[in-house]
Amino acid sequence: MEISGLGGKIRQARKADGRSVEVLAGEAEISRSYWHDIEAERIRDALPEDTLRKIERVLGIDLGVKFND
């Protein structure tokens, strides 16, 4: 599933949060470079649902993305 603008929404939420990418990525259990790739929408493969949910959790947001089970 491709969601246009998702990276921008994550970037906006991160900036509003105020913590560094290093801190947030560490809490989400992903690398800093992967976080930046997600924000820049450079991910070639689909973003795994569990990764998206971890990002939402550390930022305290709901991006409204629904996955088909």
Side-chain angles (χ1 to χ4, degrees):
M1 167 187 321
E2 186 172 323
I3 301 167
S4 181
L6 183 62
K9 290 178 184 177
I10 293 170
R11 181 182 306 108
Q12 184 178 24
R14 172 180 56 82
K15 288 183 178 185
D17 181 273
R19 290 179 284 172
S20 70
V21 171
E22 290 80 7
V23 169
L24 293 169
E27 290 182 19
E29 301 173 334
I30 61 176
S31 72
R32 179 185 55 81
S33 62
Y34 187 47
W35 185 292
H36 280 297
D37 286 344
I38 293 167
E39 284 189 358
E41 299 185 13
R42 287 189 297 253
I43 304 302
R44 291 187 182 143
D45 298 324
L47 180 63
E49 181 177 4
D50 66 320
T51 301
L52 178 63
R53 300 302 176 218
K54 287 177 183 180
I55 291 170
E56 289 178 323
R57 179 182 47 80
V58 301
L59 290 172
I61 61 172
D62 179 358
L63 293 165
V65 178
K66 305 297 181 220
F67 288 80
N68 296 331
D69 290 336

